Amino acid sequence: MDIFLKACTLALIVSVLYQVVSRQNKEIGTLLLVLGSCVVLITALSYIEPVFTFIRKLQNLGNLNNEMLEILLKSVGIGLLAEISVLICNDMGNASMGKILQILASAVILWLSLPMLNSLLDLIGNLLGEV
């Protein structure tokens, strides 16, 4: 939790410094913002690694299908990437492009989920005695 608080503090400091520095030199302000964002993202990755370890343990314990877990992880990744892209679009004053990116991400996640949904449909058909 201490690392999280430090990352939040860093993000706030970088945001304030960006506002101050970008008035004098826009390029240095942008560089500062990119570097601060990278540090915060690296911090986020340190929290995600134990989740992957847990998923691997769950997969081994429950003998889960690799394809299903892959779909789940890809969907989460697409959702996170879309969220970051939407926020960048909004910051740049292009909210309509952000909305379109949200629709695109939803469509891609649904498309990725089709094999899982087909397996669920097959399972329901087998349980009902219909194939």
Side-chain angles (χ1 to χ4, degrees):
M1 195 65 163
D2 187 44
I3 295 173
F4 171 74
L5 293 175
K6 287 179 183 177
C8 288
T9 303
L10 175 68
L12 292 173
I13 290 171
V14 166
S15 295
V16 171
L17 285 175
Y18 170 76
Q19 292 296 323
V20 172
V21 172
S22 66
R23 290 182 187 146
Q24 302 295 325
N25 190 335
K26 190 78 167 173
E27 291 82 18
I28 292 177
T30 302
L31 180 63
L32 178 67
L33 194 60
V34 167
L35 290 174
S37 297
C38 287
V39 171
V40 173
L41 284 174
I42 290 170
T43 303
L45 290 177
S46 72
Y47 282 99
I48 291 175
E49 180 57 35
V51 173
F52 286 130
T53 303
F54 174 76
I55 288 174
R56 278 188 227 106
K57 183 190 282 186
L58 184 64
Q59 181 182 13
N60 292 335
L61 183 66
N63 198 18
L64 298 176
N65 188 348
N66 284 341
E67 184 180 325
M68 299 304 168
L69 288 174
E70 187 177 313
I71 291 169
L72 175 67
L73 293 176
K74 281 183 181 180
S75 297
V76 169
I78 289 169
L80 290 172
L81 182 60
E83 183 66 24
I84 291 168
S85 300
V86 166
L87 291 173
I88 290 171
C89 287
N90 289 342
D91 285 348
M92 295 178 75
N94 198 345
S96 61
M97 182 59 75
K99 299 278 187 203
I100 291 170
L101 281 173
Q102 285 177 329
I103 293 169
L104 173 63
S106 298
V108 170
I109 290 171
L110 284 172
W111 176 77
L112 271 175
S113 300
L114 283 176
M116 201 163 40
L117 294 172
N118 280 327
S119 293
L120 180 62
L121 188 60
D122 290 343
L123 178 65
I124 291 172
N126 288 337
L127 288 175
L128 295 176
E130 300 172 13
V131 179

Coordinates of all heavy atoms in Angstrom, one line a residue, residues 2-74:
D2 N 2.0 1.1 0.6 CA 3.0 2.3 0.7 C 3.4 2.7 -0.7 O 3.5 3.9 -1.0 CB 4.2 1.9 1.6 CG 5.1 3.1 1.8 OD1 4.6 4.2 2.1 OD2 6.3 2.9 1.7
I3 N 3.7 1.7 -1.6 CA 4.1 2.0 -3.0 C 3.0 2.7 -3.7 O 3.2 3.6 -4.5 CB 4.5 0.7 -3.7 CG1 5.7 0.1 -3.0 CG2 4.8 0.9 -5.1 CD1 6.1 -1.3 -3.5
F4 N 1.7 2.2 -3.5 CA 0.6 2.9 -4.1 C 0.5 4.4 -3.7 O 0.3 5.2 -4.6 CB -0.7 2.1 -3.7 CG -2.0 2.8 -4.2 CD1 -2.3 2.8 -5.5 CD2 -2.8 3.5 -3.3 CE1 -3.5 3.5 -5.9 CE2 -3.9 4.2 -3.7 CZ -4.3 4.1 -5.0
L5 N 0.6 4.6 -2.5 CA 0.5 6.0 -2.0 C 1.7 6.9 -2.6 O 1.5 8.0 -3.0 CB 0.6 6.1 -0.5 CG -0.7 5.5 0.2 CD1 -0.5 5.5 1.7 CD2 -1.9 6.2 -0.2
K6 N 2.9 6.3 -2.7 CA 4.0 7.0 -3.3 C 3.7 7.3 -4.8 O 4.0 8.4 -5.3 CB 5.3 6.2 -3.1 CG 5.8 6.2 -1.7 CD 7.1 5.4 -1.6 CE 7.5 5.4 -0.1 NZ 8.7 4.6 0.1
A7 N 3.1 6.3 -5.5 CA 2.8 6.5 -6.9 C 1.8 7.6 -7.1 O 1.9 8.4 -8.0 CB 2.4 5.2 -7.5
C8 N 0.8 7.6 -6.2 CA -0.3 8.6 -6.3 C 0.3 10.0 -6.1 O 0.0 11.0 -6.8 CB -1.4 8.4 -5.3 SG -2.4 7.0 -5.7
T9 N 1.2 10.1 -5.1 CA 1.9 11.3 -4.8 C 2.7 11.8 -5.9 O 2.7 13.0 -6.3 CB 2.8 11.2 -3.5 OG1 1.9 10.7 -2.4 CG2 3.4 12.5 -3.1
L10 N 3.5 10.8 -6.5 CA 4.3 11.2 -7.7 C 3.4 11.7 -8.8 O 3.8 12.7 -9.5 CB 5.1 9.9 -8.2 CG 5.9 10.1 -9.5 CD1 7.0 11.1 -9.2 CD2 6.4 8.8 -10.0
A11 N 2.3 11.0 -9.1 CA 1.4 11.5 -10.2 C 0.9 12.9 -9.9 O 0.8 13.7 -10.9 CB 0.2 10.5 -10.3
L12 N 0.5 13.2 -8.7 CA 0.1 14.5 -8.4 C 1.2 15.6 -8.6 O 1.0 16.7 -9.1 CB -0.5 14.6 -7.0 CG -1.8 13.8 -6.8 CD1 -2.2 13.8 -5.3 CD2 -2.9 14.4 -7.6
I13 N 2.4 15.2 -8.1 CA 3.5 16.2 -8.2 C 3.9 16.4 -9.7 O 4.1 17.5 -10.1 CB 4.7 15.6 -7.4 CG1 4.5 15.7 -5.9 CG2 6.0 16.4 -7.8 CD1 5.5 15.0 -5.1
V14 N 3.9 15.3 -10.5 CA 4.2 15.4 -11.9 C 3.1 16.3 -12.6 O 3.4 17.1 -13.4 CB 4.3 14.0 -12.5 CG1 4.3 14.1 -14.1 CG2 5.6 13.4 -12.1
S15 N 1.9 16.1 -12.2 CA 0.8 16.9 -12.8 C 1.0 18.4 -12.5 O 0.8 19.2 -13.4 CB -0.6 16.4 -12.3 OG -0.8 15.1 -12.7
V16 N 1.3 18.7 -11.3 CA 1.5 20.1 -10.9 C 2.7 20.7 -11.6 O 2.7 21.8 -12.2 CB 1.6 20.3 -9.4 CG1 2.1 21.7 -9.0 CG2 0.3 19.9 -8.7
L17 N 3.8 19.9 -11.6 CA 5.0 20.3 -12.3 C 4.8 20.5 -13.8 O 5.3 21.4 -14.4 CB 6.2 19.3 -12.1 CG 6.8 19.4 -10.7 CD1 7.9 18.3 -10.6 CD2 7.5 20.7 -10.5
Y18 N 4.0 19.6 -14.4 CA 3.7 19.8 -15.8 C 3.0 21.1 -16.1 O 3.3 21.8 -17.0 CB 2.8 18.6 -16.3 CG 2.2 18.8 -17.7 CD1 3.0 18.7 -18.8 CD2 0.9 19.2 -17.8 CE1 2.5 18.9 -20.1 CE2 0.4 19.4 -19.1 CZ 1.2 19.3 -20.2 OH 0.7 19.5 -21.5
Q19 N 2.0 21.5 -15.2 CA 1.3 22.7 -15.4 C 2.3 23.9 -15.3 O 2.2 24.9 -16.1 CB 0.2 22.9 -14.4 CG -0.9 21.9 -14.5 CD -1.7 22.1 -15.8 OE1 -1.9 23.2 -16.3 NE2 -2.1 21.0 -16.4
V20 N 3.2 23.8 -14.4 CA 4.2 25.0 -14.2 C 5.2 25.0 -15.3 O 5.5 26.0 -15.9 CB 4.9 24.8 -12.8 CG1 6.0 25.8 -12.7 CG2 3.9 25.0 -11.7
V21 N 5.8 23.8 -15.6 CA 6.9 23.8 -16.6 C 6.4 24.0 -18.0 O 7.1 24.6 -18.8 CB 7.7 22.4 -16.5 CG1 8.6 22.2 -17.6 CG2 8.4 22.3 -15.2
S22 N 5.2 23.5 -18.4 CA 4.7 23.6 -19.7 C 4.4 25.0 -20.1 O 4.4 25.3 -21.3 CB 3.5 22.7 -19.9 OG 2.4 23.2 -19.2
R23 N 4.3 25.9 -19.2 CA 4.1 27.3 -19.5 C 5.4 27.9 -20.1 O 5.4 28.8 -21.0 CB 3.7 28.1 -18.3 CG 2.3 27.8 -17.8 CD 1.9 28.7 -16.7 NE 0.6 28.2 -16.2 CZ 0.3 28.2 -14.9 NH1 1.1 28.7 -14.0 NH2 -0.9 27.8 -14.5
Q24 N 6.5 27.4 -19.6 CA 7.8 27.9 -20.1 C 8.3 27.1 -21.3 O 8.8 27.7 -22.3 CB 8.9 27.8 -19.0 CG 8.5 28.6 -17.7 CD 8.5 30.1 -18.0 OE1 9.2 30.6 -18.8 NE2 7.5 30.8 -17.3
N25 N 8.2 25.8 -21.2 CA 8.7 24.9 -22.2 C 7.8 23.7 -22.4 O 7.9 22.8 -21.5 CB 10.2 24.5 -21.9 CG 10.8 23.8 -23.1 OD1 10.2 23.2 -23.9 ND2 12.2 23.9 -23.1
K26 N 7.0 23.7 -23.4 CA 6.0 22.6 -23.6 C 6.6 21.2 -23.7 O 6.1 20.2 -23.2 CB 5.1 23.0 -24.8 CG 3.9 22.1 -25.0 CD 2.8 22.5 -24.1 CE 1.6 21.9 -24.5 NZ 0.5 22.1 -23.5
E27 N 7.8 21.2 -24.4 CA 8.4 19.9 -24.7 C 9.0 19.3 -23.4 O 8.8 18.1 -23.2 CB 9.6 20.0 -25.7 CG 9.2 20.3 -27.1 CD 8.9 21.8 -27.3 OE1 9.3 22.7 -26.5 OE2 8.2 22.1 -28.3
I28 N 9.6 20.0 -22.6 CA 10.1 19.5 -21.3 C 8.9 19.1 -20.4 O 9.0 18.1 -19.7 CB 11.0 20.5 -20.6 CG1 12.3 20.7 -21.4 CG2 11.3 20.1 -19.2 CD1 13.2 21.8 -20.9
G29 N 7.9 19.9 -20.4 CA 6.7 19.5 -19.6 C 6.1 18.2 -20.1 O 5.8 17.3 -19.3
T30 N 6.0 18.0 -21.4 CA 5.5 16.7 -21.9 C 6.5 15.5 -21.6 O 6.0 14.5 -21.2 CB 5.4 16.8 -23.5 OG1 4.5 17.9 -23.7 CG2 4.8 15.5 -24.0
L31 N 7.8 15.8 -21.7 CA 8.7 14.7 -21.3 C 8.6 14.4 -19.8 O 8.6 13.2 -19.5 CB 10.1 15.2 -21.6 CG 11.3 14.2 -21.3 CD1 11.1 13.0 -22.1 CD2 12.6 14.9 -21.5
L32 N 8.4 15.3 -19.0 CA 8.2 15.1 -17.6 C 7.0 14.3 -17.3 O 7.0 13.3 -16.5 CB 8.1 16.4 -16.8 CG 7.9 16.4 -15.3 CD1 9.1 15.8 -14.6 CD2 7.6 17.8 -14.8
L33 N 5.9 14.6 -18.1 CA 4.6 13.9 -17.9 C 4.8 12.4 -18.4 O 4.3 11.5 -17.7 CB 3.6 14.6 -18.7 CG 2.1 14.2 -18.5 CD1 1.7 14.5 -17.0 CD2 1.2 15.0 -19.4
V34 N 5.5 12.2 -19.5 CA 5.7 10.9 -20.0 C 6.5 10.0 -19.0 O 6.2 8.9 -18.7 CB 6.3 10.9 -21.4 CG1 6.8 9.5 -21.8 CG2 5.4 11.4 -22.4
L35 N 7.6 10.6 -18.5 CA 8.4 9.9 -17.5 C 7.7 9.5 -16.3 O 7.8 8.4 -15.8 CB 9.7 10.7 -17.2 CG 10.7 10.8 -18.3 CD1 11.8 11.8 -17.9 CD2 11.3 9.5 -18.7
G36 N 6.9 10.5 -15.8 CA 6.1 10.2 -14.6 C 5.1 9.2 -14.8 O 4.9 8.3 -14.0
S37 N 4.5 9.2 -16.0 CA 3.5 8.2 -16.3 C 4.1 6.8 -16.4 O 3.5 5.8 -16.0 CB 2.8 8.5 -17.7 OG 2.1 9.7 -17.6
C38 N 5.3 6.7 -17.0 CA 6.0 5.4 -17.1 C 6.3 4.9 -15.7 O 6.1 3.7 -15.4 CB 7.3 5.6 -17.8 SG 7.0 5.8 -19.6
V39 N 6.7 5.7 -14.8 CA 7.0 5.2 -13.4 C 5.7 4.7 -12.7 O 5.7 3.6 -12.1 CB 7.6 6.3 -12.5 CG1 7.7 6.0 -11.1 CG2 9.0 6.7 -13.1
V40 N 4.6 5.4 -12.9 CA 3.4 5.0 -12.3 C 2.9 3.7 -13.0 O 2.4 2.7 -12.3 CB 2.3 6.1 -12.4 CG1 0.9 5.6 -12.0 CG2 2.7 7.3 -11.6
L41 N 3.1 3.5 -14.3 CA 2.7 2.3 -14.9 C 3.5 1.1 -14.5 O 3.0 0.0 -14.3 CB 2.8 2.4 -16.5 CG 1.6 3.2 -17.1 CD1 1.9 3.5 -18.6 CD2 0.3 2.5 -16.9
I42 N 4.8 1.3 -14.3 CA 5.7 0.3 -13.8 C 5.2 -0.1 -12.4 O 5.2 -1.3 -12.0 CB 7.2 0.7 -13.8 CG1 7.6 0.8 -15.2 CG2 8.0 -0.2 -13.0 CD1 9.0 1.5 -15.4
T43 N 4.8 0.8 -11.6 CA 4.2 0.5 -10.3 C 3.0 -0.4 -10.4 O 2.8 -1.3 -9.7 CB 3.9 1.8 -9.5 OG1 5.1 2.6 -9.4 CG2 3.4 1.5 -8.1
A44 N 2.1 0.0 -11.4 CA 0.9 -0.8 -11.6 C 1.3 -2.2 -12.0 O 0.6 -3.2 -11.5 CB 0.1 -0.2 -12.7
L45 N 2.3 -2.4 -12.8 CA 2.7 -3.8 -13.2 C 3.2 -4.6 -11.9 O 3.0 -5.8 -11.9 CB 3.9 -3.7 -14.2 CG 3.5 -3.2 -15.6 CD1 4.7 -3.1 -16.5 CD2 2.4 -4.1 -16.2
S46 N 3.8 -3.9 -11.0 CA 4.2 -4.7 -9.8 C 3.0 -5.2 -9.0 O 3.1 -6.2 -8.3 CB 5.1 -3.8 -8.9 OG 4.3 -2.8 -8.2
Y47 N 1.9 -4.6 -9.1 CA 0.7 -5.1 -8.5 C 0.0 -6.2 -9.3 O -0.8 -7.0 -8.8 CB -0.3 -3.9 -8.2 CG 0.0 -3.1 -7.0 CD1 0.7 -1.9 -7.1 CD2 -0.3 -3.5 -5.7 CE1 1.0 -1.1 -6.0 CE2 0.0 -2.8 -4.6 CZ 0.7 -1.6 -4.8 OH 1.0 -0.8 -3.7
I48 N 0.2 -6.1 -10.6 CA -0.5 -7.1 -11.5 C 0.3 -8.5 -11.5 O -0.4 -9.5 -11.6 CB -0.5 -6.5 -12.9 CG1 -1.5 -5.4 -12.9 CG2 -1.0 -7.6 -13.9 CD1 -1.6 -4.6 -14.2
E49 N 1.6 -8.5 -11.3 CA 2.3 -9.7 -11.3 C 1.8 -10.8 -10.3 O 1.6 -12.0 -10.7 CB 3.8 -9.5 -11.0 CG 4.6 -10.7 -11.0 CD 4.6 -11.5 -12.3 OE1 4.4 -10.9 -13.4 OE2 4.6 -12.7 -12.3
P50 N 1.4 -10.5 -9.1 CA 0.8 -11.5 -8.2 C -0.5 -12.0 -8.7 O -0.8 -13.2 -8.4 CB 0.7 -10.8 -6.8 CG 1.6 -9.6 -6.9 CD 1.7 -9.2 -8.3
V51 N -1.2 -11.2 -9.4 CA -2.5 -11.7 -10.0 C -2.2 -12.8 -11.0 O -2.9 -13.8 -11.0 CB -3.3 -10.5 -10.6 CG1 -4.5 -11.0 -11.3 CG2 -3.6 -9.5 -9.5
F52 N -1.2 -12.6 -11.9 CA -0.9 -13.6 -12.8 C -0.4 -14.9 -12.1 O -0.7 -16.0 -12.6 CB 0.2 -13.1 -13.8 CG -0.3 -12.1 -14.8 CD1 0.4 -10.9 -15.0 CD2 -1.4 -12.3 -15.6 CE1 -0.1 -10.0 -15.9 CE2 -1.9 -11.4 -16.5 CZ -1.2 -10.2 -16.7
T53 N 0.3 -14.7 -11.1 CA 0.8 -15.9 -10.3 C -0.4 -16.6 -9.8 O -0.5 -17.9 -9.8 CB 1.7 -15.5 -9.2 OG1 2.8 -14.7 -9.7 CG2 2.2 -16.7 -8.4
F54 N -1.4 -15.9 -9.2 CA -2.6 -16.6 -8.7 C -3.4 -17.3 -9.8 O -3.9 -18.4 -9.6 CB -3.5 -15.5 -8.0 CG -4.8 -16.1 -7.6 CD1 -4.9 -16.8 -6.5 CD2 -6.0 -15.8 -8.3 CE1 -6.2 -17.4 -6.1 CE2 -7.2 -16.3 -8.0 CZ -7.3 -17.1 -6.8
I55 N -3.5 -16.6 -11.0 CA -4.2 -17.2 -12.1 C -3.5 -18.5 -12.6 O -4.2 -19.5 -12.8 CB -4.3 -16.2 -13.3 CG1 -5.3 -15.1 -12.9 CG2 -4.8 -16.9 -14.6 CD1 -5.5 -14.0 -13.9
R56 N -2.2 -18.5 -12.6 CA -1.5 -19.7 -12.9 C -1.7 -20.9 -11.9 O -1.9 -22.0 -12.3 CB 0.0 -19.5 -13.1 CG 0.4 -18.9 -14.4 CD 1.9 -18.8 -14.5 NE 2.2 -17.5 -15.1 CZ 2.8 -16.5 -14.4 NH1 3.1 -16.6 -13.1 NH2 3.0 -15.3 -14.9
K57 N -1.7 -20.5 -10.6 CA -2.0 -21.5 -9.6 C -3.4 -22.0 -9.7 O -3.7 -23.2 -9.6 CB -1.8 -20.8 -8.2 CG -2.0 -21.8 -7.0 CD -2.0 -21.1 -5.7 CE -0.7 -20.7 -5.2 NZ -0.7 -20.1 -3.8
L58 N -4.4 -21.1 -10.0 CA -5.8 -21.5 -10.1 C -5.9 -22.4 -11.3 O -6.6 -23.4 -11.3 CB -6.6 -20.3 -10.3 CG -8.1 -20.5 -10.4 CD1 -8.7 -21.1 -9.1 CD2 -8.8 -19.1 -10.7
Q59 N -5.2 -22.1 -12.4 CA -5.3 -22.9 -13.6 C -4.7 -24.3 -13.4 O -5.3 -25.3 -13.8 CB -4.4 -22.3 -14.7 CG -4.4 -23.0 -16.0 CD -3.6 -22.3 -17.1 OE1 -2.8 -21.4 -16.7 NE2 -3.7 -22.7 -18.3
N60 N -3.6 -24.4 -12.6 CA -3.1 -25.7 -12.3 C -3.9 -26.5 -11.4 O -4.1 -27.7 -11.5 CB -1.6 -25.6 -11.8 CG -0.7 -25.1 -12.8 OD1 -0.8 -25.3 -14.0 ND2 0.4 -24.4 -12.3
L61 N -4.5 -25.9 -10.4 CA -5.3 -26.5 -9.4 C -6.6 -27.0 -10.0 O -7.0 -28.2 -9.7 CB -5.6 -25.6 -8.2 CG -6.4 -26.1 -7.0 CD1 -5.6 -27.2 -6.3 CD2 -6.7 -25.0 -6.1
G62 N -7.2 -26.2 -10.8 CA -8.5 -26.6 -11.4 C -8.5 -27.2 -12.7 O -9.5 -27.5 -13.3
N63 N -7.3 -27.4 -13.2 CA -7.1 -27.9 -14.6 C -7.9 -27.2 -15.6 O -8.7 -27.8 -16.4 CB -7.4 -29.4 -14.6 CG -6.9 -30.1 -15.8 OD1 -6.0 -29.6 -16.4 ND2 -7.4 -31.3 -16.1
L64 N -7.8 -25.8 -15.6 CA -8.6 -25.0 -16.4 C -8.0 -24.9 -17.8 O -6.8 -25.0 -18.0 CB -8.7 -23.6 -15.8 CG -9.4 -23.5 -14.5 CD1 -9.3 -22.1 -13.9 CD2 -10.8 -24.0 -14.6
N65 N -8.9 -24.7 -18.8 CA -8.5 -24.6 -20.2 C -7.7 -23.3 -20.4 O -8.1 -22.2 -20.0 CB -9.8 -24.5 -21.1 CG -9.5 -24.6 -22.5 OD1 -8.3 -24.5 -23.0 ND2 -10.5 -24.9 -23.3
N66 N -6.5 -23.4 -21.1 CA -5.7 -22.3 -21.4 C -6.4 -21.2 -22.2 O -6.2 -20.0 -22.1 CB -4.4 -22.7 -22.1 CG -3.4 -23.4 -21.1 OD1 -3.5 -23.2 -19.9 ND2 -2.5 -24.1 -21.7
E67 N -7.2 -21.7 -23.2 CA -7.8 -20.8 -24.1 C -8.8 -19.9 -23.4 O -8.9 -18.7 -23.7 CB -8.6 -21.6 -25.2 CG -9.2 -20.8 -26.2 CD -10.0 -21.6 -27.3 OE1 -9.5 -22.7 -27.6 OE2 -11.0 -21.2 -27.7
M68 N -9.5 -20.4 -22.4 CA -10.5 -19.6 -21.7 C -9.8 -18.5 -20.9 O -10.2 -17.3 -20.8 CB -11.3 -20.4 -20.8 CG -12.2 -21.5 -21.5 SD -13.2 -20.7 -22.7 CE -13.7 -22.1 -23.6
L69 N -8.7 -18.9 -20.2 CA -7.9 -17.9 -19.4 C -7.3 -16.9 -20.3 O -7.2 -15.7 -20.0 CB -6.9 -18.6 -18.5 CG -7.5 -19.4 -17.4 CD1 -6.3 -20.1 -16.6 CD2 -8.2 -18.4 -16.4
E70 N -6.8 -17.3 -21.5 CA -6.2 -16.4 -22.5 C -7.3 -15.3 -22.9 O -7.0 -14.1 -23.0 CB -5.7 -17.2 -23.6 CG -4.9 -16.4 -24.6 CD -4.4 -17.2 -25.8 OE1 -3.8 -18.3 -25.5 OE2 -4.5 -16.8 -26.9
I71 N -8.5 -15.8 -23.2 CA -9.6 -14.9 -23.5 C -9.8 -13.9 -22.4 O -10.0 -12.7 -22.7 CB -10.9 -15.7 -23.9 CG1 -10.7 -16.4 -25.2 CG2 -12.1 -14.7 -24.0 CD1 -11.8 -17.4 -25.5
L72 N -9.9 -14.3 -21.2 CA -10.1 -13.4 -20.1 C -9.0 -12.4 -20.0 O -9.3 -11.2 -19.8 CB -10.2 -14.3 -18.8 CG -10.3 -13.5 -17.5 CD1 -11.7 -12.8 -17.5 CD2 -10.2 -14.4 -16.3
L73 N -7.7 -12.8 -20.0 CA -6.6 -11.9 -19.9 C -6.6 -10.9 -21.1 O -6.3 -9.7 -20.9 CB -5.3 -12.6 -19.8 CG -5.2 -13.4 -18.5 CD1 -3.9 -14.2 -18.5 CD2 -5.2 -12.5 -17.3
K74 N -6.8 -11.4 -22.3 CA -6.9 -10.5 -23.4 C -8.0 -9.4 -23.3 O -7.8 -8.3 -23.6 CB -7.1 -11.3 -24.7 CG -5.8 -11.9 -25.2 CD -6.1 -12.6 -26.6 CE -4.9 -13.4 -27.1 NZ -5.2 -14.0 -28.4

